Amino acid sequence: MRRILIANRGEIARRIIRTARRMGIETVAVYSDADAGAPHVREATLAVGIGPAPAAESYLKIDTIIQAAAKTGADAIHPGYGFLSENAQFAQACHDNGLIFIGPPPSAIRAMGLKDGAKKIMKQAGVPVVPGYQGEDQSLDRLERSARAIGYPILIKAVAGGGGKGMRRIDDGSEFADALIAAKREAGRAFGNDSVLLEKYLTKPRHVEVQVFADAHGNVVHLFERDCSLQRRHQKVVEEAPAPGLPEALRQAMGEAAVKAAQAIGYVGAGTVEFIVDVSEGIDRAPFYFMEMNTRLQVEHPVTEFITGYDLVEWQIRVARGEALPAAQADIGINGHAVEVRLYAEDAEGGFLPSTGRLDKLELPQRTGVRVDSGVEQGSEISIHYDPMIAKLIAHGSTRQVAIDRLIAALDETIAEGPKTNRAFLARLIGHQAFRLGDIDTGFIERHLADLKPVNDLPDRLLALAALAATTPRQAPTGTSPWEALGSWRLNLPHQQSVDFYFEGGAKRSLTLTRGEDGAVTVTGIDEELVASPAWRSAHQFEADFGGSLARATVLLDGPAMELRTAGQTFRLNLREASLDKGEAVPRDGRIKAPMPGKVLSVFVKPGQSVQVGDRLLVLEAMKMEHRLTAPAAGTIRAVHVGDGDQVADGGVLVEIEMEAG
Ligand code: MV4
């Protein structure tokens, strides 16, 4: 293998380029018009433009990509994840054109493509599957009888669905017929296939997936598991390896089941076998069931790389070259613990809507035990066309607590400005007591949402730290010797300064700082007077020694606005009285506008209808996610300007509400 074309973009393209380069293999990047200036394009040996920004016109064009490979003399194609990575037709097209597809055989992709078929194969192979019905007979009568036999609550899943799409829970037999008809209609529209399967509904599942690897010589190993239970609307938010609290016997059993799953379909390359672990009765004797198999390298593979010490992209390339697996099962072990978070351009504090725009500032952390995989750089545009992930931050440590602490420190240091991000939310999430205890399941984020909101009451010590940061110059004047500069610089500072912080609701705190001859500052205006020696460690890292106890924080100043981050908590402070214009949380004219460009999926209201605060108005699909817009105030619908399937522009008026007085 001399030259690999990477049929992908962003962080995964860069990730593959890194390993290829280390192995002495050249790379070819492909890029859409929107990505012409992207880092992955610069870093590859060669690059080929493949069309307009929409993925359907570029990254998903099989013929164009095959042609790009032929034109550049590539002998292999790595599909990355997403896009064409699990497209059997693409894998086949590679083979047909004499290119090595760095992935499994098309037959294995196809075998796992439909849920019912995958389940049947696994059941046959002795891999545990969720009790249910996955038969050909799709008649109401047959399905209803099966549901009764399984026992409610049950879950209807579209056989062509995936990642949570097309699922419907039914708690009671009386709802069955209506729910089935609706589920089938939805599945038919979404996937062009209205077949469903039924499963016993598990009330407290954990998502535990096992990394497997197979070569073309019949060797299959697993590289232990990842826990990806922390999700929001089927979007993974935190992934870690190994799964916290998983008993060794269960780990062994799941690893063996995953290997069996791979063997059952003649697998070759990197794959992930997703299991659902039913922890409703605790984890000690928890049953686990096969869910689906992902026939690609996954976004979260770095946590596995951290704990096993192997480069999975290197393994993929070696297996694709026909080599035997680099390690045998007995050689593969677990070293420490790794946790990954996905930094997204989204408004985590405002309903998790994606946020687009230019990354005006991007400073990603560099610290021991922390890996950062990113596809963007300062100045990059986060567009509506692709996944809005800014970076993956992955931390490793000898223990889970060490890894978590490192990741929190990394998040505290991360500076990403322009679009809104989930940075502060992620830090609160992995700093949450229940997460630290490993008390996780797929309902975690929903259940703890109230605890994951920002808090803004600072303890006195942090308020003092903020005041110190506001009054400590970043550096001594230059030109004289450091010692003289420091001495005279300190002497030239005002002896006494006051700092006022303004809080929402009109509260104000005034602190007074009195500087001593030795540079120590006495802070008053808080419950207990504090004495500190403050210093900037770098442009945004501030610290103060409070009599032997060191307080550290990332401090960002933007005019009168200060952001202070420490120990995973983010505080926003205002050094000037906020103006009364708070923006329009509730639009006074009652015009509900699209928060971003997108497609209207469904409209729930009609003119003349009355609504209460929080009533759903419509669902907008944007950036591959569904966003539910709700009534910001009670009133009567005055006008509906959009219908199902309409494309809307950012700021376009969707619905108008005649708001009730008061
Ligand atoms: C389930 C389930 C409960 N019972 N199946 C969601 C995505 C898809 N891979 C499988 N999913 C689920 N299947 C049964 N029989 C609950 C989920 C589920 C879930 C699974 C893994 C991670 C997050 C989840 C969030 C909600 C529901």
Side-chain angles (χ1 to χ4, degrees), residues 114-115 138 156-162 165-168 179-197:
L114 290 177
K115 278 202 161 76
Q138 293 280 314
I156 302 183
K157 293 184 179 177
V159 305
K165 279 208 193 116
M167 296 199 325
R168 194 175 282 254
L180 179 71
I181 290 162
K184 277 187 164 290
R185 192 174 44 225
E186 249 174 52
R189 256 192 300 199
F191 314 113
N193 176 347
D194 75 352
S195 288
V196 297
L197 56 82

Side-chain angles (χ1 to χ4, degrees), residues 46-105:
L46 299 167
V48 185
I50 51 166
E57 298 169 43
S58 48
Y59 295 106
L60 291 171
K61 282 251 179 224
I62 293 178
D63 292 349
T64 311
I65 289 170
I66 300 279
Q67 276 163 25
K71 198 166 71 183
T72 54
D75 48 10
I77 295 192
H78 195 307
Y81 55 70
F83 296 130
L84 296 169
S85 60
E86 293 182 278
N87 186 314
Q89 220 183 308
F90 179 58
Q92 189 61 53
C94 290
H95 296 307
D96 294 347
N97 286 276
L99 296 159
I100 300 170
F101 177 73
I102 304 178

Side-chain angles (χ1 to χ4, degrees), residues 155 157 164 199-200 202 231 234 274 276 291-292 442:
L155 198 60
K157 293 184 179 177
E199 280 181 1
K200 177 83 196 153
L202 308 175
Q231 314 203 352
H234 306 297
E274 265 184 42
I276 194 160
M291 279 277 113
E292 46 194 84
T442 56

Side-chain angles (χ1 to χ4, degrees), residues 177-336:
D178 287 348
L180 179 71
I181 290 162
K184 277 187 164 290
R185 192 174 44 225
E186 249 174 52
R189 256 192 300 199
F191 314 113
N193 176 347
D194 75 352
S195 288
V196 297
L197 56 82
L198 308 180
E199 280 181 1
K200 177 83 196 153
Y201 179 78
L202 308 175
T203 51
K204 201 174 182 193
R206 259 170 79 169
H207 173 135
V208 181
E209 57 185 34
V210 178
Q211 176 72 54
V212 293
F213 240 102
D215 63 25
H217 310 283
N219 303 302
V220 187
V221 297
H222 70 81
L223 293 99
F224 299 99
E225 78 285 357
R226 299 182 283 262
D227 191 307
C228 313
S229 295
L230 264 56
Q231 314 203 352
R232 244 201 91 259
R233 302 217 206 146
H234 306 297
Q235 296 263 357
K236 291 177 184 169
V237 180
V238 181
E239 301 109 344
E240 58 181 310
L246 195 73
E248 199 52 40
L250 197 48
R251 171 167 298 125
Q252 291 302 332
M254 293 179 75
E256 282 164 25
V259 166
K260 226 190 295 182
Q263 283 164 336
I265 55 168
Y267 204 75
V268 178
T272 296
V273 183
E274 265 184 42
F275 293 105
I276 194 160
V277 181
D278 179 3
V279 294
S280 56
E281 313 265 314
I283 196 159
D284 282 336
R285 315 204 51 175
F288 67 91
Y289 308 103
F290 170 87
M291 279 277 113
E292 46 194 84
M293 180 165 181
N294 301 316
T295 53
R296 60 166 193 276
L297 185 72
Q298 301 210 147
V299 177
E300 57 272 29
H301 75 277
V303 293
T304 300
E305 296 189 319
F306 253 144
I307 63 155
T308 61
Y310 297 117
D311 177 335
L312 298 191
V313 173
E314 180 190 331
W315 279 39
Q316 285 189 295
I317 292 171
R318 292 174 65 171
V319 164
R321 279 199 304 221
E323 292 176 34
L325 287 177
Q329 191 68 65
D331 303 331
I332 304 167
I334 299 178
N335 169 30

Side-chain angles (χ1 to χ4, degrees), residues 461 531 544-551:
R461 199 172 124 103
V531 180
D545 186 342
F546 291 96
S549 143
L550 198 63

Side-chain angles (χ1 to χ4, degrees), residues 458-482:
L458 284 79
D460 274 5
R461 199 172 124 103
L462 288 184
L463 201 62
L465 191 68
L468 287 160
T471 53
T472 303
R474 273 167 205 262
Q475 60 192 68
T478 50
T480 41
S481 86

Side-chain angles (χ1 to χ4, degrees), residues 584-594 605 609 611 617-618 629-641 651-661:
E584 290 193 301
V586 176
R588 245 169 303 182
D589 59 2
R591 285 145 69 99
I592 309 297
K593 294 177 183 159
V605 291
Q609 185 177 334
V611 289
L617 301 174
L618 51 82
L629 300 190
T630 57
T636 307
I637 302 297
R638 188 165 54 211
V640 176
H641 297 291
V653 179
L654 307 169
V655 174
E656 293 182 49
I657 305 178
E658 191 69 55
M659 292 191 300
E660 279 167 18

